[in-house]
């Protein structure tokens, strides 16, 4: 059963949705402001300003584009893309890992600025300032001139290379920036590069017979033929119903576990004494002589004195159903019978002859 979300969790999710929508809206505004940027919309560029703002976002968009291009250069175009991805991460749990990897997004932007500034020629910029149609200017030089910035990597990229990465030279700084850029991309895209490479290495290319000698070709053909024979033999063994040890495979027994099975168990408790009405259990094996219960009954005084057992026979001939008295009543009857027998014996005893002097 699914756990119900608490009120605090629901409020956190709602707040996260709001943050995601705000970030996506900010990314769209930034992207439109950058694409419609015109250096003449801002007086800080030192050029004559336009009578009307050409930026689609208005004066706010013009100043936003100027600040981003001045600080980040052409790397400012990465900012709306990253904002859009972070906005989606707040809306969809699939991209929730973005919340913990914002430092790698900053590293990505810094590496991009360093690479752009590294391959911007200051001499080409001076020629473009003198002649906007100079043929020696490259692509990054023209972007820098059109944006009205100090470098294609912005002021931050220029300072990074001037005081830090410029000591490694163009080749060393390129290797450092490219490595960090590639690592940050892996973290932001969550791409498993090692697993992908291991999957490629598992695919062994099919060997061809080109470049092999006649003996090697014969061995290859012989190996393929043996593999086919082994496969046929395995199929025959499977059809014959034999296992890997060449013994018959028993038929599988299927038991329906959905039906409850009766469990047999052995009780360790001592059996209770059964009531007289219950049927006596017949033992599995009877050893010795079986004595009826009537032969081991308590002997009466008549039996002891040697009197006939007529009464007892009459009592024995009674139906078994009349013997349902309790043990206390039987004891009282036996005591009365013994008392009566003793009295009768005393009365019938012959008188002793008189004593002679």
């Amino acid at each position: 059963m699914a756990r119900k979300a608490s009120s605090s969790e629901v409020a956190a999710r709602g707040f996260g949705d709001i943050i995601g929508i705000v970030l996506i809206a900010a990314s769209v505004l930034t992207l439109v402001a950058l694409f419609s940027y015109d250096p003449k919309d801002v007086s800080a560029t030192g050029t004559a300003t336009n009578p009307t703002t050409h930026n689609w976002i208005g004066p706010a968009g013009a100043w936003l584009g100027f600040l981003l291009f001045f600080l980040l250069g052409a790397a400012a175009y990465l900012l709306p893309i990253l904002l859009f991805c972070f906005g989606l991460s707040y809306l969809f749990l699939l991209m929730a890992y973005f919340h913990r990897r914002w430092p790698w997004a900053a590293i990505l932007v810094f590496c991009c600025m360093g690479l752009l500034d590294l391959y911007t020629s200051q001499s080409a910029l001076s020629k473009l300032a003198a002649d906007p149609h100079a043929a020696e200017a490259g692509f990054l030089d023209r972007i820098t001139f059109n944006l009205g910035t100090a470098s294609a990597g912005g002021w931050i990229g220029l300072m990074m290379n001037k005081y830090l990465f410029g000591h490694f030279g163009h080749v060393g700084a390129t290797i450092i920036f490219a490595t960090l850029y590639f690592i940050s991309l892996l973290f932001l895209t969550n791409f498993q590069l090692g697993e992908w490479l291991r999957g490629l290495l598992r695919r062994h290319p099919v060997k061809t017979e080109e470049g092999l000698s006649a003996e090697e070709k014969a061995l290859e053909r012989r190996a393929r033929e043996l593999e086919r024979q082994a496969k046929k033999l395995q199929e025959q063994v499977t059809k014959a119903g034999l296992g890997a040890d060449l013994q018959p495979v028993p038929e599988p027994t299927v038991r329906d576990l959905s039906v409850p099975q009766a469990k047999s168990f052995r009780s360790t408790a001592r059996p209770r004494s059964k009531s007289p009405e219950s049927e006596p259990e017949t033992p599995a094996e009877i050893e010795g002589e079986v004595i009826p219960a009537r032969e081991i009954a308590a002997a009466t005084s008549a039996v002891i004195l040697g009197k006939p057992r007529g009464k007892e026979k009459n009592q024995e001939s009674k139906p078994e159903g009349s013997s349902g008295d309790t043990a206390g009543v039987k004891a009282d009857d036996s005591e009365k019978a013994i008392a009566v027998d003793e009295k009768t014996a005393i009365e019938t005893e012959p008188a002793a002859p008189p004593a002679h002097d």
Side-chain angles (χ1 to χ4, degrees), residues 41-249:
D41 288 339
V42 181
S43 60
T45 56
T47 58
T49 58
N50 297 322
T52 58
T53 305
H54 293 175
N55 197 293
W56 294 350
I57 310 299
W63 280 100
L64 176 64
F66 168 74
L67 289 175
L68 291 178
F69 283 130
F70 175 76
L71 294 175
L72 308 180
Y77 288 109
L78 286 177
L79 190 61
I81 298 175
L82 293 175
L83 288 175
F84 186 80
C85 292
F86 276 101
L88 291 179
S89 68
Y90 280 96
L91 295 176
F92 302 100
L93 295 178
L94 184 63
M95 301 178 64
Y97 63 90
F98 258 89
H99 301 167
R100 303 180 301 272
R101 299 182 183 179
W102 61 266
W104 292 103
I107 293 174
L108 181 72
V109 175
F110 277 102
C111 291
C112 185
M113 289 187 294
L115 284 172
L116 291 175
D117 176 75
L118 196 63
Y119 289 93
T120 302
S121 176
Q122 296 297 327
S123 60
L125 288 177
S126 59
K127 291 180 180 179
L128 284 173
D131 183 10
H133 301 286
E136 294 84 359
F139 176 72
L140 293 179
D141 303 328
R142 293 190 179 277
I143 289 178
T144 304
F145 178 76
N146 293 331
L147 295 177
T149 59
S151 172
W155 181 81
I156 297 177
L158 182 64
M159 294 297 106
M160 285 170 53
N161 290 328
K162 183 177 181 180
Y163 294 103
L164 182 60
F165 295 100
H167 301 287
F168 294 93
H170 276 68
V171 177
T174 301
I175 294 174
I176 294 173
F177 285 135
T179 303
L180 293 176
Y181 190 88
F182 188 66
I183 292 174
S184 59
L185 274 180
L186 290 179
F187 273 98
L188 292 176
T189 57
N190 210 20
F191 180 69
Q192 304 295 331
L193 179 62
E195 187 176 350
W196 178 70
L197 291 176
R198 287 189 292 270
L200 290 179
L201 293 177
R202 292 193 193 101
R203 302 173 185 175
H204 299 289
V206 181
K207 295 182 179 180
T208 58
E209 294 185 357
E210 296 180 0
L212 299 178
S213 61
E215 185 178 356
E216 291 176 346
K217 292 180 181 179
L219 290 174
E220 289 288 340
R221 286 192 292 269
R222 181 60 178 169
R224 289 194 293 269
E225 184 179 355
L226 291 175
E227 288 179 0
R228 286 194 296 268
Q229 292 179 1
K231 188 175 181 180
K232 290 181 181 179
L233 290 175
Q234 185 64 31
E235 292 177 355
Q236 293 176 0
V237 168
T238 304
K239 291 180 180 179
L242 300 179
D245 54 352
L246 300 181
Q247 297 296 329
V249 178

